[in-house]
């Protein structure tokens, strides 16, 4: 199998003549036929392409069959001239979109070398030369459509078959990926939100931990982007859903600048009938500026953008907290009778011939006198914990009978209105430099960063969470004209996402020591905080038990190269991709302790008979489940990817085009550079522990797949002048979220997790 891979790689290298890496997938192309008045091909006609705003000039000559092609072009305005000896010249002005394949045919008449200019427009009405399905979000839509929060990916919902998804990619569903203003949960064609691949100026913008968008550039820094939803060619891969291909703006020969601010404020809002007397606080500002122009006319250009987003808004949550009476052990107003577990005794009327349960209890308990727990029976830790949460500030809920008539008041149900302020701040900047070189060569360099700082008023007051994230993206590319029919594009890319999430009490309040709880509280000051107490029927108390704090640095390095060659009616493209993923991370899970309380210990019959109270069990210090974790799940994970492809765009006839290609993708399973992974396998029903990389076991815990070949086929056929039929078939692979490997760090020898569960009935 290894020899097969080596032969495949060697073949691609020979065809490309360059180092194997990923194709510059944002490049557009324009091609077509040059004929005379009798529709005969004109070979050796000179075709000159000029980018209108930067003066970049590229030249080629038509083949023996009269065909020409210009690959690897950026989106923008162009002028094309065609000249042939003995024929009158022709010229056209047109626009190219990101990753567009545009066909322009010319017919030259015999005569003097005159020239006429025909305006084609922003794009051809019908795409006649490729089978790709998708939607281009062009500059007018990018700049003119209203966007709440100006999140560029919201425009991707304009593509057919795209809708808003959910899960970790939404940015507020998983503590390991907490980015409230960076929603990339896009579901396309029924695929999962983690089945998309994101490109920024042709290089990766995908975070492998959850396969999400790592950096979302400012709307004012984006020229246009394309959502490819199906039948895309072999140059695209690494996902089975959509390809989100974003291209940033470049400078031009004209100096352009703008400044802007978008404001939303509660002071501008009218009060609706259902609003409270005071309108909830809202202050949202989105402001920035852009500047672009020439450094050297027709040679070198710059573009820069800076933008800041601030959001402060009131968030209201209805919580359930114990009343003052309940905290003192008085349950007489709750409508629930609580029973003393220390009085548990066998039921003399128990019938062992029948199933044990509320109607045939095996045990009986005596109620606390007057439905009040004596002070000497209450746990000191439980009482101290309740001192750190607020008292009710509103009337509790009301029980309802079957006839919808109100019954007894339930004072501890929905009795606390939590009003706090959510805060989201982010700033980002982009700097791009473009350089036109001799003979149509081009050099591009761009760096973009985005910093996010948020406070989320989760849990009860005093137990919110902060996050501090930094995303960075770098692309450097070089387009080199090898010959009139061959163009090579090489580049380097880097995508880095650093995320730090921590509790409101990390570094500040060592509740574990204050409460005197033994056997928990690992990690030092950075992991201080309140243990988590889950009390059935009440809002959870404490700092979140998962990923507070957590810190990771997701970094992807990428090198790329692609060769485009025009061969008559065949447009051949050969390339590939090498990416290295480096992922150091540490995080805390249940290190402060997790305690779950139910009503079981205080029921009458030691069964689920609907008596008792989980809060009473908490006051007695009787958890049903206890969990703790000693040690820190530290990772230093690494992974590499290798992709290669060959793609042929074959113009079979003037009306029929075939897209033929094959792609190969290899993913090395994640391994830890410092601490080996461990796992369990079952042999004949017996568990066997193993260490990754030892005794013949894979260091990444699973064996890699060497057979991920992905053939692609597409066609487009033109009927008449206004009807095109296209179709395609392809095999696509979506990688497993890298976060899956985190679970292997929560076991010996790095981490010792313990769960104790009692039979509380």
């Amino acid at each position: 199998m290894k020899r097969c891979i080596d032969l495949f790689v060697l073949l691609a290298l020979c065809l490309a003549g360059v180092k194997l890496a990923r194709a510059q997938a944002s490049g557009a192309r324009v091609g077509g036929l040059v004929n005379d008045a009798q529709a005969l091909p004109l070979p050796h006609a000179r075709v000159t392409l000029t980018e209108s705003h930067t003066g970049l000039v590229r030249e080629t000559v038509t083949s023996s069959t009269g065909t020409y092609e210009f690959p690897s072009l950026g989106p923008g305005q162009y002028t094309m001239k065609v000249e042939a000896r003995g024929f009158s010249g022709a010229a056209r002005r047109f626009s190219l979109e990101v990753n567009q394949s545009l066909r322009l045919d010319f017919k030259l008449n015999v005569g003097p070398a005159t020239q006429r200019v025909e305006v084609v427009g922003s794009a051809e009405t019908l795409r006649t030369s490729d089978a790709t399905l998708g939607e281009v979000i062009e500059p007018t839509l990018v700049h003119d459509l209203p966007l709440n929060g100006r999140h560029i990916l919201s425009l991707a919902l304009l593509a057919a078959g795209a809708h808003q998804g959910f899960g970790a990619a939404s940015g507020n569903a998983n503590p390991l990926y907490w980015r409230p203003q960076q929603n990339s949960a896009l579901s396309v064609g029924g695929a999962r939100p983690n089945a998309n691949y994101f490109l920024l100026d042709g290089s990766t913008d995908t975070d492998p931990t959850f396969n999400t968008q790592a950096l979302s550039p400012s709307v004012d820094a984006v020229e246009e982007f394309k959502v490819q939803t199906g039948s895309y060619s072999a140059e695209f891969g690494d996902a089975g859903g959509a390809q989100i291909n974003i291209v940033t703006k470049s400078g031009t020969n004209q100096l352009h600048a703008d400044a802007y601010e978008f404001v939303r404020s509660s002071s501008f809002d009218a009060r609706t009938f259902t609003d409270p007397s005071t309108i909830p606080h809202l202050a949202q500002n989105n402001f920035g500026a852009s500047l672009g122009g020439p450094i050297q006319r027709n040679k070198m250009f710059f573009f820069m953008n800076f933008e800041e987003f601030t959001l402060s808004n009131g968030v209201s949550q209805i919580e359930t907290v114990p009343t003052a009476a309940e905290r003192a052990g008085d349950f007489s107003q709750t409508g629930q009778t609580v029973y003393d577990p220390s009085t548990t005794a066998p039921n003399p009327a128990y019938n062992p011939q029948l199933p044990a349960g509320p109607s045939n209890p095996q045990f009986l308990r005596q109620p606390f006198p007057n439905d009040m727990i004596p002070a000497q029976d209450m746990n000191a830790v439980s009482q101290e914990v309740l001192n750190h949460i607020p008292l009710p500030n509103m009337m509790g809920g009301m029980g309802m009978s079957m006839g919808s008539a109100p019954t007894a008041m339930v004072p501890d149900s929905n009795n606390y209105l939590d009003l706090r302020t959510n805060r989201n701040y982010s700033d980002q900047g982009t700097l791009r430099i473009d350089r036109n070189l001799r003979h149509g060569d081009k050099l591009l360099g761009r760096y973009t960063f985005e910093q996010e700082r948020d406070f989320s008023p989760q849990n009860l007051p005093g137990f919110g969470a902060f996050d501090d994230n930094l995303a960075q993206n770098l692309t450097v590319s070089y387009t080199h004209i090898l010959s009139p029919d061959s163009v090579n594009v090489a580049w380097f890319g880097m995508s880095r996402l650093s995320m730090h999430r921590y509790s409101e009490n990390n570094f500040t309040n060592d509740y574990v020591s204050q409460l005197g709880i033994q056997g928990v509280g690992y990690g030092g000051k950075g992991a201080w905080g309140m243990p988590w107490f889950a009390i059935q029927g009440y809002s959870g108390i404490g700092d979140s038990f998962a990923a507070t704090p957590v810190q990771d640095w997701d970094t992807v390095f990428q090198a790329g190269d692609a060769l485009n060659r025009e061969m008559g009616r065949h447009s051949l493209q050969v390339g590939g991709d090498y990416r290295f993923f480096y992922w150091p991370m540490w995080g805390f899970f249940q290190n402060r302790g997790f305690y779950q309380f139910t009503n079981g210990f205080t029921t009458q019959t030691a069964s689920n008979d609907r008596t008792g109270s989980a809060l009473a069990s908490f006051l007695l210090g009787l958890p049903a489940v206890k969990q703790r974790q000693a040690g820190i799940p530290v990772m230093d994970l690494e992974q590499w990817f290798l992709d290669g492809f060959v793609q042929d765009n074959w113009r079979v006839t003037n009306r029929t085009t075939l897209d033929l290609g094959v792609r190969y993708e290899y993913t090395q399973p994640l391994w830890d550079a410092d601490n080996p992974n461990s796992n369990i396998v079952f042999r004949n029903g017996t568990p066997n522990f193993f260490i990754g990389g030892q005794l013949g076991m894979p260091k990444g815990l699973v064996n890699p797949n060497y057979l991920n070949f992905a053939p692609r086929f597409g066609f487009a056929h033109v009927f008449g002048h206004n009807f095109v039929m296209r179709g395609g078939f392809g095999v696509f692979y979506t990688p497993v979220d890298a976060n899956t490997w985190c679970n292997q760090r929560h076991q010996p020898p790095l981490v010792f997790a313990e769960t104790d569960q009692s039979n509380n009935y």
Side-chain angles (χ1 to χ4, degrees), residues 225-249:
F225 70 98
K226 185 175 185 178
V227 182
Q228 296 186 207
T229 59
S231 301
Y232 38 82
S233 65
E235 65 179 312
F236 295 100
D238 303 304
Q243 299 282 328
I244 316 296
N245 201 335
I246 301 176
V247 176
T248 60
K249 289 181 178 179

Side-chain angles (χ1 to χ4, degrees), residues 135-219:
E135 182 75 29
V136 173
I137 312 301
E138 46 90 19
T140 301
L141 297 177
V142 171
H143 301 139
D144 293 349
L145 285 181
L147 285 175
N148 182 18
R150 289 168 56 79
H151 184 46
I152 188 67
L153 203 58
S154 300
L155 293 172
L157 297 174
L158 296 174
H163 66 273
Q164 191 68 57
F166 54 89
S170 63
N172 56 9
N174 191 306
L176 295 173
Y177 186 82
W178 197 263
R179 308 179 69 195
Q181 301 300 318
Q182 299 299 319
N183 189 342
S184 60
L186 185 69
S187 178
V188 178
R192 299 175 181 175
N194 66 344
N196 303 317
Y197 195 78
F198 300 90
L199 294 161
L200 187 57
D201 288 327
S203 64
T204 184
D205 187 27
T206 304
D207 176 28
T209 48
F210 290 100
N211 289 325
T212 55
Q213 185 182 32
L215 187 149
S216 178
S218 166
V219 172

Side-chain angles (χ1 to χ4, degrees), residues 200-492:
L200 187 57
D201 288 327
S203 64
T204 184
D205 187 27
T206 304
D207 176 28
T209 48
F210 290 100
N211 289 325
T212 55
Q213 185 182 32
L215 187 149
S216 178
S218 166
V219 172
D220 278 67
V222 172
E223 178 67 21
E224 61 185 37
F225 70 98
K226 185 175 185 178
V227 182
Q228 296 186 207
T229 59
S231 301
Y232 38 82
S233 65
E235 65 179 312
F236 295 100
D238 303 304
Q243 299 282 328
I244 316 296
N245 201 335
I246 301 176
V247 176
T248 60
K249 289 181 178 179
S250 68
T252 66
N253 279 322
Q254 301 295 322
L255 187 65
H256 293 278
D258 65 348
Y260 51 89
E261 177 169 8
F262 298 87
V263 180
R264 291 184 62 199
S265 175
S266 54
S267 59
F268 301 153
D269 294 343
R271 179 177 175 273
T272 67
F273 179 78
T274 57
D275 280 338
S277 57
T278 301
I279 297 176
H281 164 70
L282 171 64
Q284 178 174 308
N285 294 79
N286 205 171
F287 56 91
S290 300
L291 179 65
I295 299 176
Q296 182 181 2
R297 185 173 178 80
N298 289 335
K299 295 293 185 181
M300 194 170 184
F301 313 90
F302 77 95
F303 175 82
M304 62 178 65
N305 167 262
F306 178 82
E307 180 171 296
E308 183 166 321
F309 174 83
T310 65
L311 171 62
S312 174
N313 64 298
V315 176
S316 62
Q317 303 175 88
I318 303 296
E319 308 280 3
T320 299
V321 297
T323 64
E326 290 174 327
R327 299 176 195 221
D330 183 358
F331 288 84
S332 60
Q333 302 300 314
T334 65
Q336 291 290 108
T337 303
V338 294
Y339 294 81
D340 186 353
S342 67
T343 63
T344 305
N347 177 19
Y350 170 66
N351 185 353
Q353 304 301 319
L354 298 175
S359 61
N360 182 38
Q362 188 175 3
F363 301 98
L364 290 175
R365 293 169 177 158
Q366 299 301 315
F368 284 105
N370 301 318
D371 223 14
M372 296 181 63
I373 301 175
Q376 65 270 19
D377 291 346
M378 291 199 293
N379 184 275
V381 172
S382 300
Q383 290 180 298
E384 179 61 25
V385 169
L386 293 178
N387 291 333
H388 295 279
I389 65 172
L391 288 165
N393 61 6
M394 59 185 295
M395 182 177 293
M398 181 176 293
M400 301 298 291
S401 69
M402 291 299 292
S404 299
T407 60
M409 293 293 297
V410 184
D412 58 356
S413 175
N414 298 332
N415 58 7
Y416 181 75
L417 176 60
D418 180 6
L419 294 174
R420 282 181 286 172
T421 300
N422 173 78
R423 297 189 297 272
N424 302 115
Y425 305 105
S426 67
D427 7 74
Q428 66 166 251
T430 293
L431 176 62
R432 171 169 168 163
I433 303 293
D434 293 84
R435 172 73 177 179
N436 293 340
L437 304 173
R438 297 178 58 189
H439 309 300
D441 288 7
K442 183 175 181 178
L443 184 66
L444 177 154
R446 178 198 44 78
Y447 171 76
T448 304
F449 78 90
E450 180 176 29
Q451 178 141 24
E452 306 154 6
R453 302 172 303 282
D454 307 303
F455 171 74
S456 301
Q458 62 181 28
N459 307 325
L460 289 171
F463 305 109
F466 297 92
D467 58 89
D468 189 354
N469 307 323
L470 176 63
Q472 301 175 82
N473 189 280
L474 171 71
T475 297
V476 177
S477 68
Y478 175 49
T479 303
H480 178 51
I481 311 301
L482 298 173
S483 67
D485 55 11
S486 299
V487 178
N488 190 79
V489 182
W491 74 98
F492 169 81

Side-chain angles (χ1 to χ4, degrees), residues 469-584:
N469 307 323
L470 176 63
Q472 301 175 82
N473 189 280
L474 171 71
T475 297
V476 177
S477 68
Y478 175 49
T479 303
H480 178 51
I481 311 301
L482 298 173
S483 67
D485 55 11
S486 299
V487 178
N488 190 79
V489 182
W491 74 98
F492 169 81
M494 181 204 73
S495 173
R496 192 167 195 263
L497 177 59
S498 170
M499 293 184 288
H500 182 202
R501 180 168 171 80
Y502 54 98
S503 161
E504 198 170 348
N505 293 295
N506 296 156
F507 301 101
T508 57
N509 293 309
D510 185 9
Y511 284 121
V512 171
S513 297
Q514 295 175 26
L515 296 172
I517 301 177
Q518 302 299 310
V520 295
Y522 301 96
K525 291 184 177 181
W528 281 356
M530 178 72 76
W532 183 258
F533 301 96
I535 305 172
Q536 182 182 15
Y538 294 82
S539 300
I541 302 173
D543 292 298
S544 295
F545 58 88
T548 53
V550 64
Q551 173 78 68
D552 60 346
W553 301 263
D554 313 342
T555 305
V556 180
F557 296 102
Q558 181 185 42
D561 194 287
L563 175 68
N564 299 268
R565 184 175 178 84
E566 176 73 8
M567 303 172 62
R569 289 184 173 269
H570 294 268
S571 298
L572 185 67
Q573 190 176 24
V574 182
D577 173 62
Y578 177 83
R579 302 186 307 281
F580 181 79
F581 177 41
Y582 177 58
W583 187 23

Side-chain angles (χ1 to χ4, degrees), residues 602-626:
T602 56
T603 59
Q604 179 184 20
T605 61
S607 63
N608 190 14
D609 59 12
R610 299 188 179 184
T611 64
S613 166
L615 181 61
S617 299
F618 172 72
L619 290 173
L620 293 169
L622 298 175
V625 178
K626 298 183 296 183

Side-chain angles (χ1 to χ4, degrees), residues 72-96:
S72 301
L73 299 171
Q77 305 291 324
Y78 289 88
T79 299
M80 183 181 294
K81 295 190 301 182
V82 180
E83 300 170 304
R85 180 174 298 180
F87 292 85
S88 59
R92 291 187 180 181
R93 289 197 296 266
F94 59 93
S95 296
L96 277 180

